[in-house]
């Protein structure tokens, strides 16, 4: 299988912690106000926990008060896939990593201008890279 492509469950169970696996691969949700990146405000880039793709810049991160890291836009449009999610009796738009299919969270339309979007993302779905720390 190609590097960065779709992997099987066994690969992810091995690579991820049980909580990361539950959220990223089984579309779980971490408890609000619990995530390591919720109050995080350093300058840098937020990457997909599973495949390392850059998904959000710290410049678009803001505190929506909802208990999860929130962003007003994706770092690049094609990197995040939006899918209608009707689970739990709600109509929401699920967001996943375009490269590895990892569940990230949901996007809502009550965000700040100019996008009006709120990407509500689980901390465990992300890994942070500070500016200047690039390999
Ligand atoms: Zn990914």
């Amino acid at each position: 299988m190609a590097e960065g492509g779709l992997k099987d469950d066994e690969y992810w169970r091995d690579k991820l912690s049980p909580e990361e696996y539950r959220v990223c691969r089984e579309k779980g949700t971490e408890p609000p106000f619990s995530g390591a990146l919720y109050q995080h405000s350093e300058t840098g880039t937020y990457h997909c926990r599973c495949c390392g793709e850059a998904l959000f810049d710290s410049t678009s991160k803001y505190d929506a008060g909802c208990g999860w890291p929130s962003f007003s836009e994706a770092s690049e449009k094609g990197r995040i896939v939006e899918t209608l999610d009707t689970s739990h009796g709600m109509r929401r738009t699920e967001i996943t990593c375009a490269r590895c299919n990892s569940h990230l969270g949901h996007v809502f339309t009550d965000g700040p201008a100019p996008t009006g979007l709120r990407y509500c993302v689980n901390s465990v779905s992300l890994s942070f890279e500070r500016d200047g720390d690039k390999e």
Side-chain angles (χ1 to χ4, degrees):
M1 187 137 340
E3 189 59 39
L6 297 176
K7 316 274 192 194
D8 60 17
D9 273 359
E10 202 179 333
Y11 172 86
W12 294 118
R13 279 196 193 278
D14 191 51
K15 183 179 164 76
L16 303 173
S17 74
E19 175 69 354
E20 288 166 1
Y21 183 87
R22 187 182 72 80
V23 172
C24 298
R25 312 316 306 186
E26 299 184 317
K27 304 186 189 304
T29 300
E30 71 190 10
F33 305 102
S34 72
L37 297 173
Y38 170 50
Q39 299 280 18
H40 190 262
S41 60
E42 287 183 82
T43 302
T45 311
Y46 294 84
H47 296 255
C48 175
R49 171 80 73 185
C50 294
C51 74
E53 182 80 301
L55 299 177
F56 299 101
D57 292 327
S58 59
T59 50
S60 70
K61 190 174 190 293
Y62 72 104
D63 184 2
C66 63
W68 292 278
S70 300
F71 303 87
S72 56
E73 62 180 342
S75 68
E76 276 186 48
K77 267 278 178 279
R79 294 193 178 168
I80 292 177
V81 174
E82 301 182 3
T83 316
L84 179 65
D85 170 13
T86 55
S87 65
H88 307 289
M90 294 180 274
R91 281 179 75 85
R92 297 179 296 172
T93 304
E94 184 195 359
I95 48 175
T96 50
C97 172
R99 194 178 179 196
C100 76
N101 237 352
S102 175
H103 174 77
L104 303 171
H106 292 86
V107 61
F108 301 93
T109 53
D110 58 6
T115 62
L117 297 175
R118 170 168 60 96
Y119 290 85
C120 183
V121 187
N122 292 287
S123 288
V124 300
S125 299
L126 297 170
S127 59
F128 178 75
E129 187 178 82
R130 200 180 310 135
D131 273 1
D133 278 0
K134 302 207 164 51
E135 300 128 50

